[in-house]
Structures are given as C-alpha cells and as structure tokens.
Amino acid sequence: MKCPFCQHADTQVVDSRVSEEGDTIRRRRRCMACERRFTTYERVELMMPAIVKRNGSRVEFDAAKLRGSMALALRKRPVSASALDAALVRIQDRLMASGKREVPSEFVGELVMAELRAMDRVAYVRFASVYRSFEDLSEFVRAIDELGTDHHDGTD
C-alpha cells in the first residue's frame, strides 16, 4: 500500500480489526520511509457485469433502476416488498454467477420476466408489454395464452 503522505511504496500493517458488521477490515499502517501512520479499510467488492443495451451501448448495472421497473409492473398488486427484494437478490445472484463482465440487456429482461411470472401474472403481462414492445391487442392475447398453459398459482 502506497503511503498517502510521501508516496513511498513500502508500508507496514501495525494493527488489523474486523468491523462489528464483519464486512470490513480496518488496518492501521505505518510508512517505512516517513514513519507516518494512516488507516485503510478493506471490503469485498462484488462486480456486477455491465449491461449491453440493444443499441450496443454499455451501462453499469443499476439495482435501483431494476427495482423501479419491477415495482412499476407490480404496482397495486398483492406482492410484498420482501418478495420483490428476494426476487432482486435472485436476479443479482444469477448475474454474478454468470461470471461474465458484460451481459445483454435481453438476458436481464428474461430474468425479470421469469421472476414476475412466478410472483404475479398481471405484473408479468404489464412488464412483458413494455419489454417486448407490444404493438396491438393480439400480442397481449398471446402473452396471456402463454400464461394459460402454466399451472395456476392463485396470484392473478
């Protein structure tokens, strides 16, 4: 670790402590050149893959945007906030488990559709209508017909 005062590359760890939450390590360091002390914090950094949009542009994964999209589809539906949170965690876990640095937005969209389909059929059709850019009533009918082949789960 480089000294923030003199930029010397050789520093020594004097003391290490784990935070109360257990997610951070606090380290007291001493510079071997100027003898000054400073503190560093170490925490796990989980890198979500970048999202490649349909137009080819790349954006950082935005959990708040994903939550907003799903919440909009679930608006006024009998689905708890904890169920939405659990679905978001499953989607993020799948994205991280992919091991890829970039994933197409379609992959994320399909993960969302699968979660919404399991949670609430009306929310699924709402999201699908925007995600798949339904142009006319026949596309809604087709989406609803697809749901009809599923086992009824009582959420619609």
Side-chain angles (χ1 to χ4, degrees):
M1 172 70 58
K2 191 186 292 187
C3 173
F5 305 107
C6 72
Q7 307 305 307
H8 191 263
D10 192 18
T11 61
Q12 177 184 24
V13 175
V14 178
D15 180 47
S16 292
R17 293 185 188 176
V18 176
S19 70
E20 288 182 22
E21 297 82 23
D23 61 350
T24 307
I25 296 176
R26 176 184 179 267
R27 298 194 194 281
R28 287 292 295 159
R29 296 177 178 270
R30 180 173 56 98
C31 176
M32 302 306 283
C34 71
E35 296 289 318
R36 292 182 78 178
R37 292 177 181 238
F38 60 98
T39 302
T40 59
Y41 294 90
E42 189 176 307
R43 66 178 48 95
V44 173
E45 181 179 34
L46 298 174
M47 294 297 295
M48 294 296 290
I51 308 302
V52 181
K53 297 174 82 173
R54 290 179 182 165
N55 67 7
S57 66
R58 285 152 175 75
V59 295
E60 286 186 32
F61 173 80
D62 186 346
K65 183 177 177 183
L66 180 62
R67 183 182 226 300
S69 295
M70 291 180 72
L72 187 60
L74 288 162
R75 187 168 176 230
K76 296 186 179 183
R77 298 300 304 155
V79 176
S80 69
S82 61
L84 173 57
D85 290 339
L88 289 165
V89 167
R90 285 189 297 272
I91 291 168
Q92 290 179 43
D93 286 349
R94 293 274 312 270
L95 289 171
M96 281 191 284
S98 76
K100 298 179 180 176
R101 295 180 64 136
E102 296 181 340
V103 295
S105 60
E106 292 84 1
F107 179 69
V108 179
E110 293 303 322
L111 293 176
V112 171
M113 299 248 303
E115 289 292 337
L116 288 174
R117 188 176 194 148
M119 284 193 296
D120 186 272
R121 293 170 175 217
V122 171
Y124 166 79
V125 172
R126 284 177 177 171
F127 186 86
S129 71
V130 174
Y131 175 68
R132 293 189 176 150
S133 304
F134 287 2
E135 296 290 329
D136 58 38
L137 192 56
S138 67
E139 294 179 86
F140 280 95
V141 171
R142 196 170 19 256
I144 293 167
D145 286 345
E146 287 174 17
L147 287 173
T149 61
D150 289 351
H151 175 69
H152 187 273
D153 61 9
T155 59
D156 48 351

